[in-house]
Amino acid sequence: MQELRLGPLTAGLQKRRTLPELLVAQASITDMVVISDEDRSMKSTHEMIVLALNSGSSSLKFGLYRVRVGKADPIITGEAEAIGEAMSAFHAKDAQGHSLAQEKTSIPSQQAAVIRITKLLTDQNMLVPQSIGHRIVHGGPQLLEHCRINESVLSQLEAAAVFAPLHMPAALLVIRFAQAHFPGIPQVACFDTSFHAQMPLIARVLPIPRALRAGGVQRYGFHGLSCESIVRQLAGELPSRLIIAHLGNGASVTAVSDGASIDTSMGLTPSGGIIMGSRSGDLDPGVIVYLAREEKLDANRLEKLVDQQSGLLGISGLSADMRALQNVQDSNPDARLAIDMFCYSAAKQVAAMSAVLGGVESLVFTGGIGENDPEVRAEICGRLSSIGVELDHARNLVASDPISASSSRCQVRVLPSQEDEQIAHQTWSLC
């Protein structure tokens, strides 16, 4: 399949010029050429500078990568946090881990965050990105694969915003602003749902009237870029039956058979599955009916309750942050209960996914909690002896790979979630 792409003039400029020069130069470049099949065959030797943008409801992670086949080397990585709050944070580091920025500042909007990132790249005299990749939480029923962004794709993304109202408005703002701020640079949508798009019907179809399927009401699954990055990291040692536990403020568990997702804990939206920081996870649907009927909660109030007032925060009445709860667990029974319920919920999903797979060879913990919290990992694994999980507690404390005991029938590993690198890989492959 042929596609349009910026021509040789642009490529030559990108090798020689820095970001400030190119932001001016590219605005007037109109030479477009068609990539032939022969050109595409040269892809294996092609190197590209890719900017990955990973937008959350109040954050924007970013990474500038030098990408070639099978490898994405970070040049600069960082994050704008607490966007829109009284005091935001911005930090960045280079490939060697040296700090390039560490500041408390006002970042009132996602657009302001993009401007701050651009200033950092300019100050560091970086080459302009040759393409930009965006993490998109939900593509809806039409956008099931990573793709180049055009106006048709943007229209479909706007329609899909109803499925993830916490995340999609911010992501759309970033895309629109990046298009204006980096004129002429191809941009790619990388979907968290793509990894799960080929799940079998038995996992994808929800037990509701089939007519609703036409409107896209089904299980989509999320954290797909994280799962893709784990599969990529495992590469030649990918087990046939793998469970990925992505545990963070958002959390999910996915069953992977021979590299493909066959079931996952999240459903139509990122609100379902296991207990999360402020999201409820799975609820008896009768709870929602009861609250609507007896408490007179409308859709907006129900959405706020399920997404922002539940989970660890709702149980503890204190915090959505696992670290804050662990700090007071000895003196606060509700904090201890929230931790126990989180681990209990995650262990149930891991065991369920083991049944889906017909056994499990490897369990991988990833995400902020999964990678950094040995106490949570130990509590979850302590409930999984029936599927052959046995931890080496000394190795678990330092996340030494693997963290399972030599006698464990299931290997247990801790691997980093490399969502931004995965965005860079996918963007390279499409540009």
Side-chain angles (χ1 to χ4, degrees):
M1 180 179 177
Q2 293 181 331
E3 61 187 31
L4 290 178
R5 157 174 192 183
L6 289 172
L9 174 59
T10 306
L13 285 170
Q14 287 168 330
K15 291 177 182 177
R16 296 192 298 273
R17 294 191 182 182
T18 56
L19 182 64
E21 299 169 313
L22 266 171
L23 287 178
V24 175
Q26 284 203 316
S28 62
I29 291 172
T30 57
D31 59 311
M32 304 293 287
V33 296
V34 175
I35 297 178
S36 67
D37 292 337
E38 289 80 9
D39 291 333
R40 192 174 296 282
S41 70
M42 298 174 64
K43 185 77 172 174
S44 61
T45 61
H46 180 54
E47 184 175 279
M48 178 179 287
I49 304 299
V50 178
L51 176 62
L53 296 175
N54 185 341
S55 57
S57 57
S58 62
S59 66
L60 181 59
K61 296 178 184 177
F62 66 94
L64 189 69
Y65 294 90
R66 188 181 303 276
V67 188
R68 55 193 180 278
V69 63
K71 194 165 182 63
D73 295 321
I75 301 171
I76 292 179
T77 58
E79 183 174 7
E81 300 178 281
I83 295 171
E85 297 184 15
M87 186 56 67
S88 308
F90 183 83
H91 56 86
K93 61 184 180 181
D94 64 16
Q96 289 72 46
H98 300 138
S99 177
L100 301 175
Q102 188 76 44
E103 58 195 46
K104 296 288 186 180
T105 185
S106 173
I107 305 177
S109 65
Q110 298 283 346
Q111 294 97 319
V114 174
I115 290 171
R116 183 63 188 89
I117 292 165
T118 305
K119 182 179 185 301
L120 174 72
L121 300 183
T122 303
D123 291 346
Q124 297 298 319
N125 202 33
M126 289 290 134
L127 290 174
V128 71
Q130 294 163 285
S131 58
I132 299 175
H134 300 265
R135 175 190 173 225
I136 307 296
V137 168
H138 210 309
Q142 303 302 320
L143 297 172
L144 301 177
E145 301 296 334
H146 310 308
C147 63
R148 291 275 288 267
I149 296 173
N150 55 30
E151 283 304 314
S152 174
V153 168
L154 277 172
S155 294
Q156 293 177 77
L157 288 175
E158 287 167 355
V162 295
F163 294 107
L166 277 180
H167 300 85
M168 292 294 287
L172 285 162
L173 281 174
V174 169
I175 292 172
R176 291 286 191 188
F177 194 70
Q179 287 179 322
H181 209 59
F182 294 90
I185 296 177
Q187 309 212 21
V188 170
C190 299
F191 298 105
D192 253 347
T193 49
S194 290
F195 184 70
H196 308 290
Q198 302 306 316
M199 281 191 301
L201 287 176
I202 197 169
R204 184 155 32 100
V205 173
L206 298 177
I208 55 178
R210 60 184 301 173
L212 293 173
R213 276 190 249 164
V217 182
Q218 63 179 53
R219 182 180 305 279
Y220 287 93
F222 301 91
H223 293 133
L225 288 165
S226 177
C227 291
E228 284 181 16
S229 80
I230 298 300
V231 170
R232 176 175 51 79
Q233 289 175 70
L234 292 172
E237 53 182 350
L238 180 68
S240 178
R241 295 174 295 177
L242 167 69
I243 295 175
I244 301 171
H246 179 111
L247 306 180
N249 188 51
S252 66
V253 177
T254 298
V256 180
S257 176
D258 295 320
S261 171
I262 62 168
D263 203 350
T264 189
S265 58
M266 285 179 168
L268 173 72
T269 74
S271 302
I274 70 176
I275 291 168
M276 294 172 250
S278 63
R279 285 173 255 173
S280 65
D282 287 346
L283 282 175
D284 170 5
V287 172
I288 301 299
V289 174
Y290 171 84
L291 292 173
R293 185 182 63 234
E294 301 299 329
E295 300 295 330
K296 311 303 181 188
L297 299 188
D298 61 15
N300 289 335
R301 292 173 67 193
L302 286 169
E303 182 177 73
K304 185 175 182 180
L305 183 148
V306 166
D307 285 337
Q308 300 175 34
Q309 299 175 336
S310 298
L312 295 177
L313 175 61
I315 299 163
S316 68
L318 176 67
S319 177
D321 190 319
M322 180 65 75
R323 294 163 296 188
L325 299 180
Q326 289 172 334
N327 287 338
V328 299
Q329 61 181 314
D330 292 337
S331 59
N332 188 317
D334 289 332
R336 182 65 249 175
L337 177 63
I339 297 168
D340 288 344
M341 287 180 65
F342 177 88
C343 296
Y344 181 76
S345 174
K348 283 206 305 185
Q349 280 291 343
V350 171
M353 294 305 170
S354 175
V356 166
L357 288 164
V360 56
E361 297 165 60
S362 184
L363 167 63
V364 171
F365 286 98
T366 192
I369 295 173
E371 294 169 36
N372 300 301
D373 197 322
E375 178 184 328
V376 166
R377 292 195 300 261
E379 189 163 340
I380 292 170
C381 290
R383 296 180 177 276
L384 296 172
S385 59
S386 63
I387 63 171
V389 172
E390 185 180 345
L391 281 193
D392 182 311
H393 293 286
R395 297 178 71 86
N396 178 48
L397 284 174
V398 293
S400 179
D401 188 35
I403 62 171
S404 45
S406 57
S407 56
S408 180
R409 301 197 311 272
C410 170
Q411 185 184 57
V412 184
R413 306 183 67 171
V414 179
L415 294 175
S417 175
Q418 297 177 343
E419 290 179 332
D420 294 351
E421 285 188 28
Q422 195 62 29
I423 292 168
H425 281 289
Q426 295 292 355
T427 301
W428 173 87
S429 71
L430 288 166
C431 292

